[in-house]
Amino acid sequence: MQKAREENQSLREEAQSSQEELKSANEELQSTNEELQSTNEELTTSKEEMQSLNEELQTVNAELQAKVSDLSLVNNDMKNLLDSMEIATVFLDNALNVRRFTSHATHLFKLIAGDVGRPLSDIVTELDYSQLQQDAQSVLRTLVFIEKQVKTHNNLWFTVRIMPYRTQDNVIDGIVITFINITETKKLEAQLRGGYEA
């Protein structure tokens, strides 16, 4: 009888010990579950923030694409305008390096796309205008435009106009040189005087 009581007591203690272990394990599982719920909430919040950020980026990207498209249209308009006017034009930076040029400028200078960034003085020209570099520097220094009538080696005449290149913010950022063909006008003048000078 005593032995049965002791076994019964031992079983109760084991059961109580197992119950405490289960309770402890249950508390740990609850704690783990709470941590997982907290992590899940943080992930949900992060996901929402990422979605919001992604939407903002898509909006900014769409705006940038629209601006690039507008800029491309403006560039195309300017190129077509300059080409249609048949005025040779060369844009130089503050160091008198080629920034851009119209297709008509290639008739007066041996310009190719790879010449962008090179000094204009390095480019072979048809113009009989040794003062071009000095005049360009003078315009940069004084901001007063220069206009001259210049002849080419193959007897064409051009009105050359050198002006400061002004940005929209009114900052001087180089110069613009335009060349207008006045050969026919010169011929008429010469005929009126009694002979065309070749």
Side-chain angles (χ1 to χ4, degrees):
M1 189 83 160
Q2 178 70 27
K3 194 172 182 184
R5 244 187 253 148
E6 286 174 2
E7 282 180 14
N8 196 19
Q9 182 65 28
S10 176
L11 282 171
R12 267 193 214 141
E13 286 172 1
E14 282 179 23
Q16 194 174 359
S17 176
S18 292
Q19 192 176 11
E20 285 173 8
E21 284 176 17
L22 285 170
K23 191 176 178 183
S24 176
N26 189 39
E27 286 172 0
E28 284 178 23
L29 283 171
Q30 277 184 321
S31 175
T32 302
N33 190 37
E34 287 169 7
E35 285 178 21
L36 286 171
Q37 279 182 322
S38 175
T39 301
N40 191 36
E41 287 169 7
E42 287 174 16
L43 285 171
T44 302
T45 302
S46 292
K47 183 183 174 189
E48 289 168 358
E49 287 173 3
M50 289 296 285
Q51 283 177 328
S52 175
L53 188 61
N54 192 35
E55 288 169 7
E56 285 178 32
L57 285 172
Q58 285 177 335
T59 302
V60 169
N61 193 33
E63 289 171 2
L64 284 174
Q65 283 179 330
K67 286 182 180 179
V68 166
S69 182
D70 288 348
L71 187 60
S72 181
L73 278 172
V74 169
N75 279 338
N76 288 334
D77 289 348
M78 287 304 297
K79 183 183 181 314
N80 282 285
L81 175 66
L82 290 169
D83 286 345
S84 70
M85 291 171 57
E86 297 185 5
I87 297 174
T89 308
V90 179
F91 300 87
L92 305 178
D93 63 19
N94 285 320
L96 303 183
N97 295 324
V98 176
R99 177 183 286 154
R100 180 183 298 230
F101 54 90
T102 63
S103 58
H104 293 286
T106 61
H107 302 300
L108 299 174
F109 296 90
K110 303 291 185 202
L111 284 163
I112 58 171
D115 290 328
V116 170
R118 288 184 59 200
L120 184 64
S121 58
D122 287 358
I123 312 296
V124 175
T125 181
E126 293 293 323
L127 295 168
D128 186 13
Y129 187 6
S130 59
Q131 289 294 110
L132 178 59
Q133 190 78 7
Q134 290 86 340
D135 286 348
Q137 287 170 342
S138 173
V139 169
L140 265 181
R141 192 174 54 257
T142 65
L143 304 183
V144 177
F145 80 88
I146 292 175
E147 186 171 290
K148 291 184 176 179
Q149 293 183 355
V150 176
K151 197 174 180 182
T152 65
H153 300 306
N154 56 351
N155 297 322
L156 298 176
W157 281 91
F158 287 85
T159 294
V160 180
R161 189 167 199 176
I162 307 171
M163 298 183 64
Y165 179 101
R166 292 182 190 274
T167 66
Q168 287 185 335
D169 301 324
N170 202 29
V171 174
I172 304 303
D173 192 24
I175 59 171
V176 182
I177 309 174
T178 56
F179 305 86
I180 300 171
N181 191 328
I182 57 167
T183 305
E184 292 305 314
T185 305
K186 281 290 188 181
K187 283 182 184 177
L188 286 172
E189 284 178 10
Q191 285 172 0
L192 290 173
R193 276 196 230 104
Y196 176 65
E197 296 174 13

